[in-house]
Amino acid sequence: MADDLDKYVIEIEGLVNTVGPGIILHRDLNLKVRRDEVLSLVGGSGSGKTQLLRVILGLKRPKAGRAHVFGVSWDDPNVKKVRDARRRMGMLFQNGALYSALTVYDNIAFPLRERGGLAEEDIRAIVNTKLAQVELEPRHGKLLPANLSGGMVKRVSLARALALSPDLLILDEPTAGLDPDRSEGFVRLIKRLREDHRFAVVMVTHDLDTLFELTDRVAVLADQHIIACDTLAVVRAMDHKFVQNFFGGERGRRALEHS
Amino acid sequence: MPSRDAALEIKTLAQDPVPLRARASGDWTFHGLKERSEDFARHLVEIEKQPADRIAWDLTGVGELDDAGAVWLVRAMRGSQRVDVSQGHREILNQVGQGLLVPQEPERFDPLSGVVWTGEAAAGAAEHLRDGISLLGQLALDVAGMVRRPREFPMREFSAGIFRSGVTALPVTMLVGFLVGIVLTYLSALQLKRYGADLLVINIVGVGVVRELGPMLASIISAGRSGSAITAQLGVMRVTEEVEALSVMGISITSRLVLPRVLALAVALPLVSFCTDIAALAGAMLVSSFTLGISPGAFLQALPQAVEVVNFWIGIGKSVAFGFAVAFVACHYGLRVLPNTDSLAVGVTRSVVAAITGVIILDAVFAIMLRNIG
């Protein structure tokens, strides 16, 4: 078990998930994420990718099954353990979810201040470091989220997600709403950050370029469970309707050539 | 994951040109530092006694290094060149070092800030007034347009508005009216009994309720209920860019969003205040029969003589104006909300305060204008 903990950041076993009155979304779903990998979650629309993310984030309680993050279940009565586990993960929401009443600087400083134990001076240094890491300048710190462009919102929320130096970063459609040039830049940014800070990444994406560029393994969510979780080459060779539609065809070939 | 606590050893080599050797090991993370913050504060004092170039740093034993650990180390090393560190960690230390170099902008005190503030407040108020007037004008144009093309009138929004701000408001306004009627009659009866002028209670309460209290109660409760709802709804539509979406589609914001709400409240509020009147008079009737011995039958018979009908029409007319004012103020504030949560909260608060104040001011104006009638 101790060995497992060291190896996996997320362990999901026999998960059953429902939406609304008794519609089963996931049945006997198993997924393990290693602590040094980038895992992409793909699936058709309505397959429950977002709901699975919500379970991982502890925003939704599964009907049955085990969902552990850093070896901790979100239902664990030990509040401190749960809090510590929460602080080891960062989340990049699809639309940024920046606090609209706070400036960029205060948005990034927020988790640091909540964490406690850091002098304001140190927080300032870390916020400025994070701003530089996502290729923004200190002067951007004074802006309000309403004044940012879409790409900047993504970068600021990435900086906020990374503020506590997480071991696990969860990305929900990281390149949605960015133009191809920007999304390429964003992917490069995440790649570079991962070189310095070895965090695991779980991402949901529809963008094949992002997928080919970043991912180590792909988990395919279809027919109410994970039908495969393996390297791109293995998954692409699968004979499944969704996989063939998703990776096959012109779109997939172009993205592959590109990478 | 096995976590080794952050540790710092400091050795002194008396004969060496670099007499202090600091060796860091373990995981230098948020967690590790917080647990041992006191030890580290002591170390820092010791280190800072020496000039930076007399300390050699060995960071090869450091396991994990995150920003909090890096900030501490960079600050302790003070730009020392004698640092032995792995390539990956050097990169993190450099990044954090850059972050520490960013100067903090000093907060300057501006002696003219009071003047600036006053000027900005005045300009803001002027802009507010201008926006309000232009909204009113636009509304008038929309009404004229609707008269010419009645088919375009947003009937669904209008009837939904009457239901929401009229029908659903009845329970609370009628309850409040009933209770106020009781209290008012009771207090008047106590005084009037002393002079034997018992029957005058019908005049006092009747005129007071029908002409003043009914419309006022109804509109103040509506300002809190419907006014805040309208501002919040339009404000959220601003935040989610729904208002912008309407204008892009070429749909007039005023005729689709503002007009039906303003007209709905202008129609609903007289009806609500009529019901409030009835509830308040019922309360008055109840108390009169208990404390003054005026039977309900006698009360109803005396009422038309005590209260001229014109008072009732004045009350109803004022309600129309109050309803219009409350909804207009609410829409005005709702459309001014900026796309952030703070602005929404401020907008709703100001809208309710402005609507209630506005209703009371309007009421005073009416009282002066109509002082010779009724």
Side-chain angles (χ1 to χ4, degrees):
Chain A
M1 190 67 199
D3 197 38
D4 260 16
L5 278 186
D6 214 23
K7 213 169 151 194
Y8 297 113
V9 286
I10 298 176
E11 291 168 278
I12 295 175
E13 275 169 25
L15 186 79
V16 179
N17 227 340
T18 56
V19 277
I23 299 168
I24 293 179
L25 193 60
H26 304 134
R27 197 198 300 267
D28 192 25
L29 184 149
N30 299 300
L31 178 67
K32 285 187 175 185
V33 182
R34 298 191 197 117
R35 61 160 300 179
D36 55 355
E37 73 175 342
V38 177
L39 183 122
S40 298
L41 194 58
V42 301
S45 94
S47 61
K49 300 182 294 289
T50 306
Q51 294 300 324
L52 183 58
L53 273 195
R54 286 173 64 85
V55 170
I56 292 172
L57 290 165
L59 298 174
K60 181 184 169 75
R61 183 194 288 256
K63 262 271 164 334
R66 211 172 73 98
H68 282 193
V69 178
F70 297 115
V72 178
S73 153
W74 296 129
D75 288 339
D76 198 304
N78 186 339
V79 179
K80 191 176 175 306
K81 231 164 92 181
V82 170
R83 202 181 50 207
D84 285 347
R86 275 208 183 282
R87 284 178 175 162
R88 289 176 61 191
M89 56 194 245
M91 169 74 189
L92 176 69
F93 289 90
Q94 191 172 347
N95 296 318
L98 295 174
Y99 303 122
S100 59
L102 301 180
T103 60
V104 165
Y105 180 96
D106 288 326
N107 259 290
I108 302 174
F110 186 79
L112 295 161
R113 290 184 180 136
E114 288 297 306
R115 177 81 168 72
L118 279 173
E120 197 57 31
E121 246 178 294
D122 296 351
I123 289 176
R124 205 164 59 79
I126 295 176
V127 171
N128 284 323
T129 309
K130 292 295 159 196
L131 279 173
Q133 277 175 4
V134 297
E135 291 156 11
L136 290 172
E137 286 164 36
R139 68 187 165 86
H140 291 126
K142 276 179 283 185
L143 297 175
L144 282 168
N147 305 329
L148 301 177
S149 70
M152 276 162 88
V153 167
K154 289 267 180 191
R155 278 183 280 164
V156 172
S157 47
L158 180 65
R160 187 179 69 178
L162 291 173
L164 290 177
S165 305
D167 296 322
L168 168 63
L169 183 66
I170 295 175
L171 310 172
D172 188 6
E173 297 282 3
T175 54
L178 299 183
D179 61 52
D181 194 37
R182 287 273 175 73
S183 67
E184 216 171 279
F186 196 78
V187 168
R188 253 199 324 256
L189 179 65
I190 291 176
K191 241 181 151 169
R192 191 171 56 71
L193 287 170
R194 257 178 55 79
E195 278 166 19
D196 296 334
H197 314 265
R198 306 294 312 179
F199 48 81
V201 174
V202 173
M203 66 173 174
V204 167
T205 185
H206 282 116
D207 181 6
L208 286 176
D209 290 320
T210 311
L211 198 79
F212 287 132
E213 199 64 39
L214 267 181
T215 202
D216 297 321
R217 287 199 304 159
V218 182
V220 183
L221 186 56
D223 310 331
Q224 300 181 334
H225 64 280
I226 303 281
I227 57 170
C229 183
D230 216 317
T231 57
L232 251 172
V234 176
V235 168
R236 273 167 62 88
M238 273 181 68
D239 185 23
H240 186 278
K241 194 161 152 268
F242 169 75
V243 176
Q244 286 311 320
N245 276 337
F246 191 78
F247 292 104
E250 193 54 32
R251 205 169 65 106
R253 246 194 318 281
R254 236 182 310 135
L256 189 65
E257 276 165 21
H258 195 114
S259 70
Chain B
M1 187 167 30
S3 163
R4 297 168 304 140
D5 279 346
L8 189 67
E9 276 175 69
I10 300 177
K11 265 191 260 171
T12 313
L13 305 173
Q15 307 303 322
D16 209 272
V18 186
L20 271 190
R21 298 292 165 100
R23 187 176 185 289
S25 60
D27 290 340
W28 284 68
T29 57
F30 278 98
H31 193 70
L33 284 181
K34 203 178 171 187
E35 301 281 295
R36 314 197 47 194
S37 55
E38 283 171 21
D39 286 356
F40 279 48
R42 256 203 327 277
H43 282 314
L44 197 60
V45 172
E46 194 179 335
I47 291 164
E48 280 177 348
K49 281 184 200 148
Q50 295 287 338
D53 58 352
R54 284 168 66 83
I55 309 173
W57 291 83
D58 175 9
L59 306 183
T60 50
V62 173
E64 281 190 42
L65 176 66
D66 71 7
D67 299 303
V71 166
W72 197 94
L73 285 172
V74 169
R75 193 163 275 150
M77 292 188 300
R78 287 168 289 163
S80 164
Q81 297 303 310
R82 304 174 199 281
V83 181
D84 195 3
V85 60
S86 72
Q87 191 51 44
H89 288 168
R90 185 181 293 279
E91 186 58 34
I92 297 177
L93 291 176
N94 282 343
Q95 285 178 6
V96 170
Q98 293 294 323
L100 270 168
L101 284 181
V102 176
Q104 185 173 22
E105 278 183 33
E107 280 182 32
R108 277 186 311 242
F109 174 72
D110 185 355
L112 288 178
S113 61
V115 179
V116 172
W117 186 87
T118 314
E120 277 175 353
E127 197 209 330
H128 228 301
L129 194 66
R130 205 194 57 212
D131 282 2
I133 291 171
S134 75
L135 185 62
L136 194 64
Q138 187 60 49
L139 217 51
L141 290 179
D142 284 339
V143 171
M146 290 295 162
V147 170
R148 269 183 290 145
R149 294 180 303 275
R151 289 172 62 100
E152 283 178 23
F153 184 71
M155 203 61 199
R156 285 169 60 95
E157 282 96 333
F158 176 66
S159 63
I162 289 184
F163 178 77
R164 238 184 292 173
S165 53
V167 180
T168 55
L170 283 182
V172 60
T173 46
M174 286 181 76
L175 176 69
V176 171
F178 183 72
L179 296 174
V180 168
I182 287 177
V183 173
L184 191 66
T185 314
Y186 183 69
L187 287 176
S188 321
L190 278 184
Q191 304 299 319
L192 291 173
K193 245 184 179 172
R194 282 201 275 178
Y195 303 104
D198 296 11
L199 271 177
L200 271 181
V201 81
I202 302 176
N203 295 51
I204 293 174
V205 176
V207 173
V209 163
V210 169
R211 189 168 166 151
E212 288 294 331
L213 273 176
M216 281 295 271
L217 283 177
S219 49
I220 287 174
I221 291 174
S222 283
R225 252 184 115 259
S226 313
S228 61
I230 290 173
T231 307
Q233 196 183 19
L234 293 188
V236 170
M237 287 179 79
R238 284 273 302 167
V239 173
T240 54
E241 295 183 324
E242 288 172 54
V243 173
E244 281 80 351
L246 274 177
S247 1
V248 169
M249 287 179 205
I251 297 168
S252 156
I253 294 165
T254 44
S255 65
R256 186 56 67 92
L257 296 178
V258 180
L259 186 67
R261 287 176 171 77
V262 170
L263 288 187
L265 203 58
V267 170
L269 202 62
L271 303 175
V272 172
S273 72
F274 174 68
C275 295
T276 314
D277 288 352
I278 290 176
L281 289 176
M285 208 155 69
L286 192 74
V287 175
S288 316
S289 76
F290 279 116
T291 58
L292 299 173
I294 303 172
S295 75
F299 188 98
L300 286 178
Q301 222 162 23
L303 194 61
Q305 281 135 34
V307 184
E308 282 180 63
V309 172
V310 69
N311 287 309
F312 171 74
W313 291 116
I314 287 174
I316 294 296
K318 284 203 298 191
S319 305
V320 175
F322 293 166
F324 181 87
V326 166
F328 180 77
V329 167
C331 288
H332 173 63
Y333 277 94
L335 291 176
R336 288 176 64 88
V337 167
L338 303 174
N340 69 66
T341 47
D342 237 15
S343 168
L344 183 61
V346 171
V348 173
T349 310
R350 286 196 183 152
S351 153
V352 173
V353 172
I356 291 177
T357 317
V359 161
I360 292 173
I361 292 174
L362 262 186
D363 191 53
V365 171
F366 278 124
I368 295 168
M369 273 168 37
L370 304 172
R371 65 185 181 281
N372 294 325
I373 303 172

